[in-house]
Amino acid sequence: MSAPLRLVIFDVDGTLVDSQGDIVAAMTAAFASVKVPLPPRETLLSIVGLSLNVAIPVLAPDAASDVHAKMVQAYKDAYIQLRADAGVAQSSPLYPGALAALKILGARPDTLLGVATGKSRRGLDKLIEGHALHDVFITQQVADFHPSKPHPSMILQAMTDAGVTADNTVMIGDTSFDMDMAVAAGVRGIGVSWGYHGREKLGNAHLVIDGFADLLPTLQSVWGEAR
């Protein structure tokens, strides 16, 4: 009997790529554009994973909605410029072992790969282009077309795209938003400890790993439990 088709969905920022430098710089520009006091760095990184229209009001709760809109646009403009100046590979480098893990998983006939990210369609396209990840992800869910994490919409659509059941789907991410989204969608969440939320915030994770070298053995364990 052949193995069931499986789907591995990855978050992007803080999971596959380390984009914290550009995120903090773009947020700094966004706050400066409307002269709103900038929160501490750890606060800025705590909202990574949320869609911008949700993250900005969390970071600047006392600002008016029109100010939030200006900040969102200023962030996008600054991020695009930072990426253009440095190049994707420099501004958002892949974490050690990420590319090798994607290649190994992508070569398995029973495994499909996807992403679910708070990035825009344009932002994800640039990242995929910059790291030559064309044809790696068969389903790509972005902030343009979904409610912000932890709403399960991204995972549910990814499973529909792939034709894979919840029992055979896992969500890989670095934040509580990713793990809460996995729970809401009825799939297992595998947390990563190297991202923007500490291990202590990943309480809803089925398991937490400390490096990409741990991912394949962990998936084998999860799939074994799912049988």
Side-chain angles (χ1 to χ4, degrees), residues 169-190:
T169 299
V170 296
M171 176 69 207
I172 316 293
D174 69 302
T175 70
S176 61
F177 312 127
D178 297 311
M179 299 302 100
D180 293 347
M181 179 173 64
V183 170
V187 308
R188 291 174 175 83
I190 297 177

Side-chain angles (χ1 to χ4, degrees), residues 33-46:
S33 72
V34 293
K35 296 181 172 57
V36 172
L38 183 71
R41 181 185 182 90
E42 59 269 23
T43 302
L44 296 177
L45 292 176
S46 72

Side-chain angles (χ1 to χ4, degrees), residues 8-9 24-25 31 44 52-53 80 84 94-95 102 104 123 157 159 181 190-191 195 208 213 220 223:
V8 183
I9 307 171
V24 171
F31 276 81
L44 296 177
L52 273 177
N53 64 332
I80 290 169
L94 287 162
Y95 283 105
L102 291 174
I104 292 171
Q157 185 60 54
M159 289 192 295
M181 179 173 64
I190 297 177
V208 179
Q220 289 174 348
W223 298 142

Side-chain angles (χ1 to χ4, degrees), residues 32-86:
S33 72
V34 293
K35 296 181 172 57
V36 172
L38 183 71
R41 181 185 182 90
E42 59 269 23
T43 302
L44 296 177
L45 292 176
S46 72
I47 54 76
V48 174
L50 295 177
S51 300
L52 273 177
N53 64 332
V54 174
I56 292 293
V58 170
L59 294 174
D62 297 329
S65 59
D66 62 324
V67 174
H68 290 153
K70 292 177 182 178
M71 294 174 73
V72 167
Q73 189 57 53
Y75 177 97
K76 290 179 178 179
D77 292 343
Y79 199 94
I80 290 169
Q81 188 60 52
L82 287 163
R83 187 176 56 206
D85 290 345

Side-chain angles (χ1 to χ4, degrees), residues 3-218:
L5 195 59
R6 292 154 176 170
L7 174 62
V8 183
I9 307 171
F10 291 90
D11 168 58
V12 176
D13 294 309
T15 300
L16 289 176
V17 301
D18 185 2
S19 48
Q20 63 178 300
D22 281 357
I23 290 170
V24 171
M27 278 294 181
T28 301
F31 276 81
S33 72
V34 293
K35 296 181 172 57
V36 172
L38 183 71
R41 181 185 182 90
E42 59 269 23
T43 302
L44 296 177
L45 292 176
S46 72
I47 54 76
V48 174
L50 295 177
S51 300
L52 273 177
N53 64 332
V54 174
I56 292 293
V58 170
L59 294 174
D62 297 329
S65 59
D66 62 324
V67 174
H68 290 153
K70 292 177 182 178
M71 294 174 73
V72 167
Q73 189 57 53
Y75 177 97
K76 290 179 178 179
D77 292 343
Y79 199 94
I80 290 169
Q81 188 60 52
L82 287 163
R83 187 176 56 206
D85 290 345
V88 171
Q90 180 68 30
S91 66
S92 295
L94 287 162
Y95 283 105
L99 184 58
L102 291 174
K103 287 182 176 179
I104 292 171
L105 286 171
R108 294 175 55 116
D110 64 342
T111 304
L112 302 175
L113 304 183
V115 293
T117 176
K119 285 185 175 297
S120 66
R121 176 77 267 172
R122 179 171 62 172
L124 181 61
D125 286 347
K126 289 293 185 182
L127 186 83
I128 287 174
E129 178 184 358
H131 287 294
L133 297 176
H134 306 288
D135 302 323
V136 172
F137 305 109
I138 65 102
T139 178
Q140 301 172 12
Q141 307 305 319
V142 295
D144 307 60
F145 310 116
H146 295 280
S148 179
K149 300 175 183 180
H151 192 284
S153 176
M154 290 187 187
I155 293 179
L156 297 177
Q157 185 60 54
M159 289 192 295
T160 297
D161 289 351
V164 176
T165 64
D167 283 348
N168 290 308
T169 299
V170 296
M171 176 69 207
I172 316 293
D174 69 302
T175 70
S176 61
F177 312 127
D178 297 311
M179 299 302 100
D180 293 347
M181 179 173 64
V183 170
V187 308
R188 291 174 175 83
I190 297 177
V192 305
S193 65
W194 57 81
Y196 305 145
H197 282 189
R199 181 183 282 267
E200 71 280 359
K201 292 186 177 181
L202 302 177
N204 274 335
H206 183 66
L207 293 164
V208 179
I209 61 175
D210 296 315
F212 273 102
D214 299 329
L215 179 56
L216 298 181
T218 299

